[in-house]
Amino acid sequence: MSDRVTCEIRCPIHGFIGLNEWENRIIDHPAFQRLRRIRQLAWTDYVYPSAMHTRFEHSLGVMHVASLLYDSVVSTSSRVLKQVYGYNDLGLTRDRQKVRLAALLHDVGHSPFSHGSEELFPEKPASEADVSGPSRKAKHFRHEDYSVGLIRDVFRAVIDDDDWNRRNYGITADEVAAIIEGNPKAGPALFWRDLLSGQLDADRMDYLLRDSHHIGVNYGRYDLHRLVSTVRAFGEPEGGDSTRDLKAPRIGISSGGWNAAEALILARYSMHKQVYFHKTRIAYDIHLRYAMESMLPQGKYPSPTREGLADYLKWDDWRILGMLGGGAGGEHGKRLLTRNHYRLVYQTRENPRNFEEFESAEAELKSVNKALGDLVVARKTCVNNWYKHGSVDIPVQNERNPDDVRPLSDYSSLLRGFTSSDQELLYVTPESAAAAKQIVSGVLKKDHSPQIKMDFTGGKRKDIANAS
């Protein structure tokens, strides 16, 4: 059959990634080949010189990992899937191919330098923004909107009209796009979206390992194979305990894999703190955003309409680098070329322990910002949301008692301590960095209350104010 593996691509992370003839034809499409010209980590190579990998190889890796997860869930949980969704073996085989295509194409809509220039996506029309209230502000398009648009338009012929697909599966571009966007029209296949977009998804499982490998750090490493072997689908527990809301199956792990899942979350935390939120890497995102704003017509990317997508596909890293080399991009283009980036002079605390500390941090930020005045040339917000609790917490099934399904945070004291808290970063020009640092130092010395240090002598505590 034509769906057997006919091509293998060597991958430094997963060994060999197998493709069938149909997938090979999709990969050969010019819109997918464009991903070879989109760096995975934008200008991170200015900090970690070997960070030169692309969205192309990452997309192949996500397809591979999604297939491993899919096969593991089917192997351990086929009874649940067949009871709830009425799957038969043919249906599971067909949805496996849909999941592989959704994973392969989930990033085709990325802009040049990946997330680095996403602030230049246009706003959605008010009818599509899905917001309300007197202070309504339209949401911007995201790269997923471009991915979905490209699948439905540019990739439609290579999906819907593929001869082998029409004879065997009849998969449509709309079905693949529906999985990515979480559209109920995906039908039972929507269940598999968690494999592509969730806290236990193939996307982050691949990029953490891949980014760590290419950068040369160990922060993003975890036990992929243990996670894959313990992933499964949970249906409604026997006895009909309605308090657990498990009538619709969810993807989670068995209790034997909770340490591996915890390690995945900690790897993501470490990679964000050490790599993705690195102060210098963020500075180059700022320069890229403003340089590209001066190069794009109207300072924005075209909308993901049929006409807009045709123009959007013309933008890639190579085009931007050529324009920068030709002198485009103004001051920020010059700073990118000469590696003369803005300097970080202040950032708020990462995780305030309580509301009092949060208020203190906000007051400190206002004081610093006011004191610096016009010296601040850029401000960036880093969203620290390492793990989401509540209904999206990863479910863990007790191996000895299948009816015992609890959130991962119940098992992990580390994850229970994770809170969502944004950090504000203030940048100045290199020329004013020395003066700005002196100003910040003066504000912090003035605003900080006396520090208390503990001296334990003779079994009794002694508080020392202003101790050095």
Side-chain angles (χ1 to χ4, degrees):
M1 290 179 62
S2 296
D3 61 341
R4 65 182 176 84
V5 172
T6 59
C7 172
E8 288 186 322
I9 298 177
R10 185 182 289 274
C11 171
I13 309 303
H14 307 298
F16 286 98
I17 296 176
L19 307 169
N20 61 41
E21 291 182 7
W22 183 26
E23 293 162 348
N24 215 356
R25 288 191 287 273
I26 293 173
I27 288 172
D28 283 340
H29 193 287
F32 192 87
Q33 290 293 313
R34 170 181 172 269
L35 295 182
R36 292 183 183 272
R37 304 186 297 277
I38 305 289
R39 288 190 204 168
Q40 175 83 359
L41 295 178
W43 292 76
T44 302
D45 62 298
Y46 266 22
V47 181
Y48 298 95
S50 58
M52 297 293 289
H53 52 304
T54 68
R55 288 282 157 183
F56 179 88
E57 59 202 80
H58 167 61
S59 297
L60 295 174
V62 175
M63 180 186 69
H64 177 75
V65 175
S67 301
L68 296 177
L69 294 170
Y70 187 99
D71 293 343
S72 181
V73 171
V74 170
S75 174
T76 60
S77 314
S78 61
R79 181 182 62 84
V80 171
L81 298 174
K82 291 177 179 180
Q83 283 182 348
V84 176
Y85 291 124
Y87 271 118
N88 56 25
D89 291 341
L90 180 59
L92 288 170
T93 301
R94 184 176 186 271
D95 272 9
R96 183 181 191 273
Q97 184 64 70
K98 282 196 286 188
V99 169
R100 280 177 65 84
L101 295 184
L104 180 68
L105 299 174
H106 80 288
D107 268 353
V108 291
H110 261 296
S111 57
F113 297 101
S114 294
H115 297 290
S117 62
E118 287 187 344
E119 291 182 17
L120 300 177
F121 286 147
E123 291 183 345
K124 292 182 177 181
S127 59
E128 299 180 35
D130 193 28
V131 293
S132 59
S135 59
R136 181 174 70 179
K137 181 178 180 181
K139 295 181 180 179
H140 288 76
F141 287 108
R142 302 177 303 164
H143 77 267
E144 291 90 349
D145 297 308
Y146 289 82
S147 294
V148 167
L150 288 168
I151 291 169
R152 289 200 167 109
D153 182 34
V154 176
F155 286 95
R156 183 176 293 278
V158 76
I159 296 176
D160 291 18
D161 299 336
D162 184 86
D163 289 339
W164 182 86
N165 172 41
R166 294 172 70 177
R167 287 195 305 269
N168 292 275
Y169 287 143
I171 293 173
T172 67
D174 288 331
E175 289 179 288
V176 177
I179 296 175
I180 295 175
E181 65 185 350
N183 192 323
K185 292 181 180 179
L190 185 60
F191 163 75
W192 300 106
R193 186 173 185 267
D194 279 353
L195 297 184
L196 306 179
S197 180
Q199 302 203 92
L200 199 66
D201 65 44
D203 184 25
R204 66 182 56 178
M205 287 185 188
D206 181 81
Y207 77 63
L208 289 172
L209 294 175
R210 192 171 302 279
D211 293 351
S212 292
H213 171 83
H214 285 283
I215 290 173
V217 300
N218 290 318
Y219 306 120
R221 301 190 186 280
Y222 62 94
D223 193 344
L224 171 64
H225 299 293
R226 182 57 174 164
L227 268 182
V228 169
S229 69
T230 56
V231 71
R232 58 202 59 214
F234 308 134
E236 182 181 13
E238 294 182 10
D241 184 354
S242 60
T243 62
R244 296 188 206 160
D245 193 23
L246 289 174
K247 292 182 179 179
R250 288 187 61 193
I251 291 176
I253 55 172
S254 65
S255 55
W258 79 262
N259 292 105
E262 178 190 63
L264 173 72
I265 308 303
L266 294 177
R268 183 169 179 262
Y269 167 81
S270 297
M271 284 294 285
H272 274 80
K273 298 306 298 180
Q274 297 296 326
V275 178
Y276 309 136
F277 288 171
H278 189 285
K279 61 180 182 180
T280 306
R281 205 208 68 76
I282 289 176
Y284 284 107
D285 279 351
I286 294 170
H287 294 309
L288 175 67
R289 180 240 192 269
Y290 287 113
M292 289 209 57
E293 187 174 35
S294 71
M295 292 187 281
L296 287 167
Q298 290 80 50
K300 297 286 184 181
Y301 286 113
S303 297
T305 61
R306 172 168 292 187
E307 297 76 15
L309 289 171
D311 186 34
Y312 181 76
L313 287 175
K314 298 175 184 177
W315 292 93
D316 57 33
D317 294 8
W318 290 10
R319 181 178 181 182
I320 301 303
L321 290 172
M323 295 175 72
L324 290 173
E331 173 207 347
H332 297 279
K334 185 177 181 180
R335 289 191 183 278
L336 287 170
L337 289 179
T338 59
R339 201 183 181 278
N340 186 27
H341 57 84
Y342 287 166
R343 302 305 201 260
L344 176 71
V345 292
Y346 176 79
Q347 64 182 17
T348 54
R349 304 167 211 174
E350 180 183 339
N351 284 313
R353 291 173 294 180
N354 49 49
F355 185 71
E356 182 179 335
E357 282 196 3
F358 174 79
E359 284 192 319
S360 174
E362 287 288 299
E364 182 180 279
L365 173 62
K366 290 180 181 179
S367 297
V368 170
N369 204 26
K370 181 179 180 180
L372 289 172
D374 293 339
L375 290 180
V376 176
V377 291
R379 180 170 174 165
K380 192 76 172 181
T381 301
C382 293
V383 180
N384 295 336
N385 196 0
W386 319 120
Y387 190 70
K388 298 178 182 177
H389 299 274
S391 62
V392 294
D393 207 328
I394 296 172
V396 181
Q397 184 179 53
N398 191 318
E399 291 179 343
R400 297 182 178 180
N401 178 14
D403 286 347
D404 179 14
V405 178
R406 289 181 283 149
L408 177 60
S409 56
D410 273 13
Y411 285 80
S412 171
S413 59
L414 290 173
L415 297 190
R416 284 199 298 275
F418 273 6
T419 57
S420 177
S421 174
D422 297 348
Q423 275 187 287
E424 298 291 335
L425 282 65
L426 303 183
Y427 286 86
V428 300
T429 65
E431 298 76 17
S432 62
K437 288 178 180 178
Q438 286 187 345
I439 293 173
V440 171
S441 178
V443 172
L444 298 184
K445 287 180 180 179
K446 178 180 178 182
D447 286 0
H448 279 178
S449 57
Q451 295 182 353
I452 304 298
K453 292 189 176 182
M454 302 300 182
D455 178 29
F456 290 91
T457 57
K460 296 181 180 181
R461 190 181 73 177
K462 181 182 179 183
D463 295 348
I464 307 174
N466 296 320
S468 57

